[in-house]
Amino acid sequence: ASLNRLTFAGRPLPSSEVLLFPGALPLATDVRAVQPVDRPAIRLIDDGQRTSLNVALSGAAKQALGQALNKALASCLSGASKDPNCPQPDETRPIPGSLRASLNRARPDSPSFDLAESADGTIELTDSVSVTGTWAQWDFNNQAIKHSGAVTVKVQAEASVSDLNSIYWTAP
């Protein structure tokens, strides 16, 4: 899991059980974007207890990801991006790359950020935004039908804890 981004006393986090003397755990991360949750410590009353470790994205990492996501989304909505996985209207059979729109309101820098269970530090980003614009979708005769107005767009992307400025769109 993303715990592989942690080091214990300067070494890889042990995968087996470790007996520890009470006190703060000497944990660090290999990237600033990932931080241990709380301040893990062992207390005398924890004798024989299992202590769990969790990691989360730092506040600065979330802010940087939100800004990168806004920039990537603006590129898709303006048509500047040619990525076939750019977010599409939440409609049946939208034509990829046909959406030209603007956000209905300023998007806060707070989509849902989840560290993936993989060890490589992948961050999954999901959000749902309301936009106003034009797009096309295929009808059941495979004819392009143009639409305009307000529509919801589901945002699904990935980033890496090593490069918070690069957003990679994923297919819904």
Side-chain angles (χ1 to χ4, degrees), residues 26-51:
L27 295 174
T29 62
D30 61 350
V31 291
R32 288 187 196 153
V34 177
Q35 299 297 319
V37 173
D38 299 323
R39 292 200 147 293
I42 302 295
R43 301 167 300 174
L44 284 174
I45 61 172
D46 292 334
D47 185 35
Q49 302 286 326
R50 292 182 184 260
T51 299

Side-chain angles (χ1 to χ4, degrees), residues 116-132:
E117 291 298 317
S118 63
D120 58 2
T122 300
I123 303 165
E124 297 170 348
L125 301 97
T126 57
D127 203 357
S128 193
V129 296
S130 179
V131 300
T132 300

Side-chain angles (χ1 to χ4, degrees), residues 104-115:
N104 287 344
R105 57 185 160 88
R107 220 189 119 270
D109 292 339
S110 59
S112 171
F113 302 110
D114 292 313
L115 281 168

Side-chain angles (χ1 to χ4, degrees), residues 77 87-92 94 98-104 128-137 147-154:
L77 294 177
Q88 298 293 319
D90 193 17
E91 301 279 323
T92 307
S98 67
L99 179 63
R100 300 293 177 270
S102 59
L103 294 171
N104 287 344
S128 193
V129 296
S130 179
V131 300
T132 300
T134 62
W135 70 96
Q137 72 185 96
H147 296 278
S148 64
V151 68
T152 300
V153 174
K154 288 193 177 185

